[in-house]
Structure formats: C-alpha cells, structure tokens
Amino acid sequence: MATPGMLYVTMQPKPGLPIQQFHEWYNNEHGPTRLRLPKIFSNGLRYQAADSKEPSFLAVYDVTSMSHLETETYTSLRANRSPREAETIGQVDVKRYFWDLASTKESPLFVPIEQLTNDEAEGIILLTVELKLKDAASAEAETVKWYDEHVNMLSKVPGWLRSRVFKTSSLESGVPVSFTALHEFAKNNELGDVAHNAAAHTPGWKDVEEKYATLSAQRSYSLFYVFGPAPRDLQSLSQLEPAKSTFKSADSKTTTTNEPAAVITSYVTARDGLSIPYRLEGNPDPKAPTIAFCNSLLTSLHMWDPLVDILKAQRPQYRILRYDHRGRHAVPSPPTPATLDVLADDLRDLLAALRVPQLAALVGVSMGGATTLNFALRHPGQLSRFVACDFNAASSAANTGAWKERIAVAETPLEDGSAGIGKLAGQTVARWFHPATMQGKKDTAAWMERMVAANDVEGFRYGCQALWDYDLKPRMRECGVPALLAVGEGDGKGALVKAMDGFRGVLGPKGAELAVVPDAGHLPMCENPGPFWDAVKGFL
C-alpha cells in the first residue's frame, strides 16, 4: 500500500557562495531533475524565511509513495551528482527529512500550488510546527489529538488554505518520532501574531508541552519558486559570471551559459516518452512576455536564428522560446505517426513544463504554421496572438503522395553509400527557396541544406504524416485569437500566396490580414529576414 509523504529539505548557503549561483543550480539542475520523475514527485516548491531565522531556505516535494525514495531511480540521483552539483552542495548546510502524511484538511478555496500560475503561487505563506514526542504513555495519541485542535484553530483564520500533519517516516529507522504540521495561507491573510507562535495560541498547548511533546521548530516561510520538469531560471543565470554559468549535463541534453547572454537548452518529455528539445533565451525577467516559434518540417529550432537576432535587438522585452518538433531527432517507441493535434499538444505540454500560462505570441511556418493555427484552435487561452506562415489550411491527396515519394528518396541510400536524405535536402531547398535566394544567397541555401540533411530519417517518415490528412477550415471561423498570415511571394511559384489569400477571410469572425514577403519562398524568415520582420513587427 502506498504511503504518501514529503521530502523536506532545509538549506543555508555558507559564506562565500554567491546567492545567484545557489539559486541557478537549484532551479535549473537540482529541482527539475526530480520533477522529471512524476511517479515519485508530484511537485516541488521553494520557500524563503519570512521570520528572519536560519536556515533561510526550504524546499518541499510531495512524494506519491515514500517507498519510492528507496529505489535506485531516486538514490541514483544523489549517487551520480554532477561535478557542479557536488561542488555547490558542499557550500550549503543541508538537512533532509522524510515525513509520512498523517492527515489533511483543506479549505474549499484550496488549489494545489503546482496548478497555480507563478503570480498566483508566489507569496503563499507556510507555517510549520514540529513537535518531538516525549517518552511518556499516550504521548503520540495526545499529540495527535492536540494537532487536531491546532488545525481546527488555524482553519478559522481568514486566508487559511490547507493544513497537513506528518509523522517521522518509517524510512527513518532509529530516529525519535516527531510530528510536524504544515499550514498554507493565502498572501492576504489575517494571521497577525499567530504566525509567530502558532503552537502557543492553540488550546491545550501547555498541557501537551509539559507532558507529551517538545517544540522542536516553529517557522514561517514565503513561497518564491515552483519547480517544473524543465529548467527556466534565466534571471539567476544572467547574474552569474560567464565562467560560473557554463554547465552541461552528463547526457548533454541540458546546457546553460551566460556568455554572451543567458541561454538554457534542455528538453521536456512528451506524454508518450519522446524528448522534445527546447532553447530559452532573451529577457531574463521571469515575468517577461514569452514569444515562441514553431519550425517547419525537416528544420531545427536554429532556422529562426536570423529572425531571433533581429527580435532581440528590436523587442528586448521578450523572452524567446524555440523547440524541435517530434520527428526532428527521433520518434516515440513504438513509432507513431505525428498529427497536428499531437504537435499542438506537445507545445501545450512544453509550456506547462516551463510554467508559461500564456504566450504573448506564437510564430510558425509550414508545418509549424498549421501547428500554430491548430494550437490557437485547441488552446485559445494560452496565446494572445499568432503569426502563421506559408502553410495550407487543409491537406490534399496530391500533397500526401508527394510526401510518400520524398520518404522513399530519404530512405534509399545513394550509390556512394551516403544517406538518401542528403539528396532529399538538395531537392527540398531548391523547391522551398526563391530563385533570388538560390542565386544570390548561396550560404543561406547551403546552411538550410545541411539542416535538412541532419533530420532523423525515421523521424521524417513519421513526422511528415502530420501533413497527410488534415483540414482546419471547418474550425477557422471560430478562432478568437488575433492572427496575421504571412507568405513568401515566390512560395510554390506564387501558388501558396493565392491559396492563403483564399482562406484568410474565414480565419476568425472578421478574417485575417495576409502579409506577402518579397524575394522569398517557403521560409521567408530565413531567406529575407529583414523584410519578414518589417511585415510582422507591427502585429507583434
């Protein structure tokens, strides 16, 4: 039988450890590593002392079953610490406690903190009252009875949200039995003096203190950070010296640097177990509006490099999120064809992992343009506006046949033994790009050809199936999110301009504007980034 409980960790950085280094390590490495184990940890929360006492910091993790903390899945995290973690944690006074959950009482207004936005969660007050049992008959029963009264008393204070009572875990063999209560209160509450001595305000305290239990600790904390399974703390990273900011995980899936500016690259795990890589950069303020980019099939998140350079200079208020769609690097096991719904939901899950409740804007092109529109239709509350570029609102039988032919090219080795996707890359870029790009910007064409050739072949086979059979037109009129459509003037030799002009009128209740980018084909933001920016900057 599962015994839920809590991992409770107090921390006090030692003199000499810069506080930004402490926070960056904990927020970008330590915490997310644990939140990537949802079968063990259902959340992770960081608190700072509100009572001016030490230890100054507290981290709590709700554990689904305390027995999981004895499994190799968890113990290996400590056994295989990164050199950076080992160095940092050696400069922190750390105490870890295991607690088994004994009882819970909740206000009707209580919402699990991990389900709140950061703005809603930050500032929630936590009171802790820990008692160590005396060696007396009925000590445990009387202490539990007192805690019932204690919780009942605090639950009457305006702003109370939840109280939980925990007992020293059965995992802590040989440790004297203690109890602790964790009381959560809204930022706006009427605790008053009770916050400073909650035990003494509870009826029966003098009798319990005299006969049954000793007050071990009584603390007040304020919540300041909610972990997700993806590192996102650009703010702390941006405050580090470059030499202290550079980190690469053992599996090379997570890196951080502040040279020349703060950048986090990492991944989230999709619901089917597939890793979705992402890159987070731009404005390091955690409250900065976020703009995200959705790639074309066969490209990586780096297809946006030219536009991101412009965006950083022209719109420094934005935090910038890019990611590689499924099929770029791998497919789930067993392999499953992608769909536009799956692609839209991958983005939803990425935003949830990064705790981004709403995008300021989403920009997508080609398959990413269709994904962007579909995301707006499926999750309209999660973005304020979007730009969808160079895509069709519905697939066609002819297009599906063309994708099958391209799969055959990619999967057929060439005579020299090289991968067929290299041949496909050349054909694709020649089809995508405007003649002006192919003739006058050979470096751009070569860059894109290398990018396409690097796509995983099996990933392409299953990823392109998202474009085989879809039709967004029946739902486009109901779209309530402000939209701009954009297209390169030479995409499909002008055919896609006509197609997008034909369906822009049914996007939303009043239709959408269509911006045509000169001297560009299928990827105008790569071929002619300046004019593309001119076409979209007013909307953004």
Side-chain angles (χ1 to χ4, degrees):
M1 182 178 175
T3 302
M6 176 175 285
L7 172 61
Y8 183 102
V9 187
T10 62
M11 288 162 287
Q12 183 62 42
K14 297 176 182 177
L17 176 63
I19 194 66
Q20 297 89 352
Q21 183 180 338
F22 169 63
H23 288 319
E24 195 279 327
W25 155 69
Y26 209 76
N27 293 346
N28 286 335
E29 181 184 359
H30 190 86
T33 302
R34 280 134 187 85
L35 268 290
R36 284 181 173 140
L37 302 174
K39 292 183 179 179
I40 300 179
F41 300 106
S42 56
N43 60 29
L45 311 173
R46 293 194 70 194
Y47 294 87
Q48 188 163 6
D51 54 13
S52 302
K53 299 178 183 178
E54 292 186 352
S56 301
F57 298 98
L58 168 69
V60 297
Y61 303 84
D62 282 340
V63 180
T64 58
S65 179
M66 295 300 287
S67 61
H68 288 320
L69 300 184
E70 295 184 308
T71 64
E72 186 178 0
T73 301
Y74 173 68
T75 58
S76 64
L77 295 180
R78 302 186 69 206
N80 299 314
R81 287 173 172 155
S82 71
R84 193 265 296 265
E85 175 153 297
E87 177 190 358
T88 305
I89 207 167
Q91 301 176 72
V92 183
D93 287 326
V94 180
K95 292 185 179 179
R96 300 164 65 252
Y97 304 87
F98 293 165
W99 296 104
D100 291 346
L101 181 63
S103 64
T104 301
K105 184 175 182 177
E106 297 176 355
S107 161
L109 300 177
F110 173 75
V111 176
I113 291 175
E114 63 271 21
Q115 295 178 20
L116 301 175
T117 67
N118 292 332
D119 285 344
E120 292 168 337
E122 291 166 6
I124 285 177
I125 297 299
L126 180 72
L127 300 185
T128 69
V129 179
E130 180 182 343
L131 302 183
K132 180 180 178 181
L133 296 186
K134 294 182 176 181
D135 186 14
S138 304
E140 181 167 334
E142 292 298 324
T143 299
V144 168
K145 187 187 300 183
W146 177 84
Y147 268 120
D148 288 342
E149 187 65 34
H150 177 63
V151 168
N152 185 56
M153 182 269 294
L154 287 175
S155 70
K156 294 181 172 64
V157 176
W160 172 82
L161 296 173
R162 177 173 68 164
S163 292
R164 291 184 292 172
V165 177
F166 295 84
K167 180 181 177 180
T168 300
S169 177
S170 58
L171 302 182
E172 303 264 37
S173 58
V175 175
V177 175
S178 294
F179 283 82
T180 191
L182 274 63
H183 309 285
E184 294 156 77
F185 288 83
K187 288 173 266 191
N188 297 317
N189 60 71
E190 297 183 16
L191 274 166
D193 291 340
V194 174
H196 306 293
N197 199 350
H201 281 79
T202 304
W205 168 241
K206 289 186 177 180
D207 189 53
V208 167
E209 183 181 34
E210 180 181 337
K211 300 177 183 177
Y212 305 115
T214 302
L215 181 64
S216 300
Q218 189 166 226
R219 297 296 307 275
S220 173
Y221 297 94
S222 176
L223 189 146
F224 74 97
Y225 198 85
V226 181
F227 288 125
R232 67 177 193 274
D233 185 6
L234 289 174
Q235 185 175 50
S236 296
L237 179 62
S238 71
Q239 296 170 357
L240 296 183
E241 294 292 331
K244 289 290 186 181
S245 71
T246 302
F247 168 74
K248 179 184 286 189
S249 62
D251 60 8
S252 298
K253 288 185 175 182
T254 297
T255 67
T256 62
T257 186
N258 190 32
E259 191 173 8
V263 178
I264 297 170
T265 65
S266 191
Y267 70 96
V268 299
T269 303
R271 299 187 183 200
D272 56 10
L274 186 68
S275 290
I276 306 291
Y278 70 88
R279 178 183 175 97
L280 191 66
E281 59 196 309
N283 193 322
D285 187 336
K287 299 185 185 301
T290 302
I291 183 170
F293 294 91
C294 197
N295 315 337
S296 164
L297 184 69
L298 286 169
T299 66
S300 78
L301 57 81
H302 289 291
M303 67 154 285
W304 301 101
D305 285 354
L307 182 63
V308 166
D309 287 344
I310 295 173
L311 184 67
K312 287 179 178 178
Q314 299 295 322
R315 297 287 190 274
Q317 71 268 29
Y318 280 122
R319 182 168 58 168
I320 300 168
L321 172 63
R322 295 183 269 172
Y323 70 102
D324 282 340
H325 55 71
R326 61 177 53 230
R328 173 63 186 174
H329 304 283
V331 295
S333 182
T336 306
T339 68
L340 288 184
D341 285 352
V342 170
L343 294 176
D345 291 349
D346 282 345
L347 177 55
R348 173 202 60 194
D349 293 344
L350 172 60
L351 297 179
L354 290 167
R355 294 188 56 79
V356 177
Q358 185 182 57
L359 290 171
L362 176 62
V363 183
V365 63
S366 189
M367 185 176 76
T371 300
T372 293
L373 173 56
N374 196 39
F375 184 84
L377 294 171
R378 289 175 67 82
H379 310 291
Q382 291 192 253
L383 74 167
S384 297
R385 60 188 58 234
F386 68 91
V387 181
C389 312
D390 298 82
F391 76 104
N392 262 307
S395 60
S396 67
N399 211 31
T400 299
W403 284 118
K404 292 179 179 179
E405 293 173 2
R406 292 162 192 159
I407 290 172
V409 173
E411 292 182 336
T412 303
L414 303 182
E415 290 183 1
D416 63 2
S418 61
I421 197 167
K423 178 180 179 181
L424 178 67
Q427 296 173 350
T428 298
V429 174
R431 187 180 74 254
W432 279 353
F433 278 5
H434 193 282
T437 307
M438 297 300 293
Q439 296 166 13
K441 300 179 180 179
K442 295 185 183 299
D443 288 348
T444 299
W447 165 62
M448 185 54 59
E449 191 169 329
R450 290 191 299 271
M451 190 184 300
V452 172
N455 205 96
D456 180 78
V457 174
E458 187 181 34
F460 169 59
R461 175 183 181 85
Y462 287 95
C464 76
Q465 294 185 47
L467 299 175
W468 285 17
D469 185 19
Y470 71 93
D471 187 358
L472 301 175
K473 288 182 179 178
R475 294 184 290 148
M476 286 173 60
R477 181 65 76 186
E478 69 191 48
C479 182
V481 182
L484 173 68
L485 303 182
V487 61
E489 68 168 355
D491 197 345
K493 298 180 179 179
L496 197 56
V497 177
K498 295 178 181 179
M500 295 182 70
D501 189 53
F503 65 69
R504 70 181 182 87
V506 298
L507 180 54
K510 297 181 180 180
E513 294 294 320
L514 176 64
V516 180
V517 182
D519 295 326
H522 193 57
L523 301 180
M525 61 291 300
C526 301
E527 300 175 67
N528 214 358
F532 178 81
W533 172 248
D534 290 340
V536 304
K537 65 182 180 182
F539 183 75
L540 295 178

